[in-house]
Amino acid sequence: MALRYDEHKVPFVDFGNGVKLQFDYEEFTDEPSKEKATNELRETPDVMEASIRKLRELIQQEKQLKLPVDNESFMKRFLRPKKYYPESTFEMLKAFYHMKAKQNFISDRLTTKSIQNALDDRAVQILPKRDQHGRRILYMEMGAKWNCTKVPSMEVIRCTNLLMEMVGREPATQLHGIVFVINFDRLSLSHISQFPPKFVKTVVDHGQKHSPYRIKGIHIVNNARMFNIFFKIFKPFLGKKWSQRIFLHGVDFASLHDHIAPDCLPSTLGGTYELPAYEGAVIGQLLDCYKEKFEEEEKYGYVSEVKES
């Protein structure tokens, strides 16, 4: 297993046996994707032009918010999850950058170095294969395999946010969305204590309302009695959409496979391909191939502290 480059010099992690993790930042051009974008996101030339123009005007009125308004890919990244409604996109965008302006918190100055322990322990992973609907799959270890003394919850969330930003820049992911699979095998009180209610509310609000990602499902596996205690912390903060997209599968991978096809999952989740126990550092190497892109985008956002309304 190693970091390699394809014939177009695009980096990827080679897991062997034809399994690889690679980001795709090219716009989709196939007809099924374009038709889906039209039907689900209202993505037509006329709507895109009008929405980008209006969103640009709104951003320019927010004097302290500096964003690349002439970058169409950047604008579409935020417009797509809001189905090209510029006003609601603008509200989400402001909240997103308000959060990034909070220093030493969940989404500011995200670098591989700042989440190295989470990468090393593979607390959060991007699975190499998309699901049958084209959605990215993020896998989280929230039970016995999560050493919360080494990797505190703040780093887990920061790692999740960095990986989300990586896949969230992919046009195909902006269209098809993201699903989570979260393993709670042997969850303990030490794990649960990592999530005080105020922190949970902030994280859940950010994910539900303030982030430019289409979360299409949250699949919980190995949820035993202790999970019920954990879930009581989160449940009051869940909106209708997320509540309807949380699925509890217990130890029944067949139930999980009703939503995510086995050939899209590794054997540890009852799937059909092998994902070796890899060194997390190689994922850091892949992320660092895009370091300049991240450093460039760190220039964007609120140029000074802004009071929240």
Side-chain angles (χ1 to χ4, degrees), residues 2 11 20 39 69 106 122 137 141 181 195 201 208 221 255 280:
K20 66 180 183 179
N39 293 336
V69 294
I106 63 173
R122 302 191 298 278
I137 307 172
E141 291 283 6
V181 180
F195 291 94
K201 184 180 188 307
Q208 289 184 123
V221 297
S255 173

Side-chain angles (χ1 to χ4, degrees), residues 141-158:
E141 291 283 6
M142 298 294 286
K145 291 184 180 179
W146 172 31
N147 181 350
C148 57
T149 59
K150 178 183 176 183
V151 188
S153 59
M154 181 70 79
E155 186 169 341
V156 172
I157 299 303
R158 286 177 61 80

Side-chain angles (χ1 to χ4, degrees), residues 99-127:
M99 185 63 73
K100 285 187 76 71
K102 294 184 177 182
Q103 295 187 3
N104 301 313
F105 202 46
I106 63 173
S107 61
D108 65 306
R109 294 176 291 180
L110 293 174
T111 64
T112 54
K113 184 178 180 180
S114 71
I115 59 165
Q116 193 60 56
N117 287 331
L119 291 176
D120 288 344
D121 277 22
R122 302 191 298 278
V124 190
Q125 306 172 43
I126 305 171
L127 295 186

Side-chain angles (χ1 to χ4, degrees), residues 48-84:
M48 283 194 292
E49 181 182 355
S51 297
I52 290 173
R53 181 174 63 251
K54 179 61 177 178
L55 180 58
R56 183 180 295 125
E57 292 172 358
L58 292 170
I59 292 171
Q60 289 172 337
Q61 292 170 15
E62 187 84 352
K63 298 300 183 183
Q64 292 176 303
L65 183 57
K66 303 301 180 185
L67 298 175
V69 294
D70 293 323
N71 184 327
E72 184 173 299
S73 294
F74 175 88
M75 302 289 271
K76 286 160 70 173
R77 176 190 169 202
F78 286 89
L79 281 162
R80 278 173 167 154
K82 290 298 184 179
K83 301 185 178 180
Y84 284 90

Side-chain angles (χ1 to χ4, degrees), residues 249-280:
H249 302 290
V251 297
D252 184 8
F253 288 150
S255 173
L256 174 64
H257 299 161
D258 287 339
H259 299 268
I260 304 176
D263 60 358
C264 306
L265 293 169
S267 58
T268 51
L269 292 170
T272 60
Y273 72 86
E274 296 301 322
L275 186 63
Y278 59 88
E279 294 290 332

